[in-house]
Amino acid sequence: MEQDRSSTVIITGASSGVGLYAAKALAQRGWHVVMACRDLAKTEKVAQSVGMPQDSYTIMHLDLASLENVRQFVKNFRESGKSLDALVCNAAIYMPLLKEPLRSVDGYELSVATNHLGHFLLCELMLEDLKNSQNSEPRLVILGTVTHNPNELGGKIPPRPDLGNLDGFAAGFKGSQVMIDGKKFEPVKAYKDSKVCNVLTMRELHRRYHKSHGITFSSLYPGCVADTPLFRNHYPLFQKLFPLFQKNITGGYVSQELAGERVAAVVADPEYNQSGTYWSWGNRQKKDRKSFAQDVSREASDDEKAERMWELSEKLVGLA
């Protein structure tokens, strides 16, 4: 669906991987892309390297691990005078080899701070911008992962996500309470838990705001992007073997460019206007790789937990 440059999309983490190629794909469709990233010089370099026209993008600083910086980003965006027609929450960090937790400037475990809380605040602050879009179908898209769902093969690998009773949230991640469930730090689980929160956020946004704001809220799993820079903090051997495994054994491999095109489709194409949907291109579709609406995990579909997570998140980001 072609757009003119008056349609604007913000993509977080657009300096590499799926975010970069989603930016490229949307620019090719005629959108103006706000590439929201930490490293401005790097982003400019990669935007040029993938052939994005100079007038198709604006680079703005965003550090999701800082709630103050998220607020400053929103202020800067509004001062630019641009309308907002779509928001893509793509950025994520994954640090599986950590022995001890890292904390954000606000004192929260870094994975949940970056992947969930920063995006949660950004979504809430930009709801009015999306509501005021001149586009007939403003959209907010949050990237998902197969690892959030123990019902899928990729989600069965331990440690499995488990938010428990949200004890870490309730304690404000103080002291030893660095995990969402309040238990001992486990870096892989911290990532998976944060992605469950992403899905819960999408579903709760849909429940609270779809009818009143006219925004389509959705998530997607674009397939296994085995060579994504998300894995840059993993063992070098894993980074080498995982793509080979996905290409030759599971058949689940998806290139960064194809994944970016799938994100762009969920942002722009008419068939993805079903709010509250989790779209997937999973391994079950090996022949034609068509998208389908996938059930999320039991925990990610727990409406009571979603509501409590929302309320606790609002307190943690200062919106309560």
Side-chain angles (χ1 to χ4, degrees):
M1 185 168 65
E2 291 296 326
Q3 303 278 339
D4 59 38
R5 294 273 184 237
S6 63
S7 292
T8 300
V9 55
I10 293 173
I11 303 178
T12 67
S15 63
S16 65
V18 176
L20 171 62
Y21 286 99
K24 176 185 177 182
L26 283 162
Q28 288 175 334
R29 289 166 175 257
W31 286 67
H32 187 86
V33 183
V34 174
M35 304 174 76
C37 309
R38 287 180 295 174
D39 189 332
L40 305 187
K42 173 190 174 184
T43 307
E44 179 63 50
K45 184 176 180 179
V46 297
Q48 293 180 17
S49 73
V50 298
M52 292 178 65
Q54 197 71 46
D55 68 344
S56 70
Y57 64 91
T58 300
I59 301 169
M60 296 181 63
H61 184 260
L62 174 62
D63 181 358
L64 288 160
S66 165
L67 299 174
E68 180 182 353
N69 189 266
V70 172
R71 288 186 168 87
Q72 185 61 48
F73 169 84
V74 173
K75 182 174 182 288
N76 293 343
F77 175 81
R78 288 173 177 162
E79 288 176 350
S80 74
K82 293 181 175 64
S83 65
L84 181 62
D85 306 293
L87 170 61
V88 178
C89 297
N90 159 77
I93 59 168
Y94 176 53
M95 297 176 291
L97 307 183
L98 285 182
K99 303 299 183 185
E100 299 293 333
L102 298 176
R103 290 186 182 267
S104 70
V105 294
D106 303 290
Y108 307 140
E109 189 276 320
L110 198 58
S111 295
V112 72
T114 304
N115 302 349
H116 167 58
L117 290 172
H119 277 134
F120 179 87
L121 177 60
L122 182 66
C123 290
E124 279 234 62
L125 293 179
M126 307 220 80
L127 281 173
E128 286 302 312
D129 300 79
L130 286 168
K131 182 181 180 181
N132 294 329
S133 165
Q134 298 304 304
N135 193 314
S136 61
E137 287 184 6
R139 297 185 187 179
L140 193 159
V141 179
I142 303 178
L143 268 286
T145 170
V146 71
T147 61
H148 97 273
N149 192 350
N151 296 324
E152 295 294 312
L153 178 62
K156 294 183 185 299
I157 302 170
R160 296 185 180 185
D162 181 7
L163 306 186
N165 295 318
L166 304 173
D167 291 342
F169 265 128
F173 296 103
K174 303 297 184 185
S176 60
Q177 301 260 36
V178 295
M179 296 288 286
I180 291 173
D181 62 2
K183 296 180 180 178
K184 183 180 178 182
F185 177 67
E186 212 300 329
V188 176
K189 184 175 179 296
Y191 167 78
K192 292 180 179 181
D193 288 351
S194 72
K195 298 305 290 183
V196 174
C197 287
N198 285 163
V199 181
L200 288 170
T201 298
M202 180 275 288
R203 289 171 55 83
E204 192 67 2
L205 281 165
H206 166 72
R207 187 182 73 83
R208 290 171 180 253
Y209 298 111
H210 171 60
K211 288 184 179 179
S212 62
H213 285 51
I215 301 167
T216 296
F217 301 99
S218 60
S219 293
L220 78 148
Y221 171 59
C224 186
V225 192
D227 53 6
T228 171
L230 179 68
F231 298 125
R232 62 183 173 270
N233 294 312
H234 215 308
Y235 290 113
L237 186 60
F238 175 90
Q239 296 179 51
K240 181 178 180 179
L241 295 180
F242 189 51
L244 296 174
F245 177 75
Q246 292 295 338
K247 288 177 181 178
N248 301 315
I249 305 300
T250 70
Y253 174 82
V254 174
S255 69
Q256 296 176 53
E257 189 154 14
L258 179 55
E261 291 170 359
R262 289 172 173 175
V263 173
V266 173
V267 170
D269 288 356
E271 59 262 40
Y272 297 104
N273 68 348
Q274 301 173 43
S275 189
T277 301
Y278 185 95
W279 300 102
S280 183
W281 285 259
N283 291 356
R284 293 179 295 173
Q285 299 279 321
K286 284 186 178 180
K287 289 185 178 180
D288 53 14
R289 283 286 194 269
K290 289 183 179 178
S291 62
F292 57 97
Q294 184 173 34
D295 292 335
V296 298
S297 71
R298 179 183 299 178
E299 187 167 45
S301 58
D302 185 332
D303 293 340
E304 186 176 331
K305 184 167 287 189
E307 188 168 2
R308 184 156 186 263
M309 180 223 67
W310 183 280
E311 293 168 355
L312 291 171
S313 295
E314 284 197 322
K315 290 181 181 178
L316 291 173
V317 303
L319 289 176

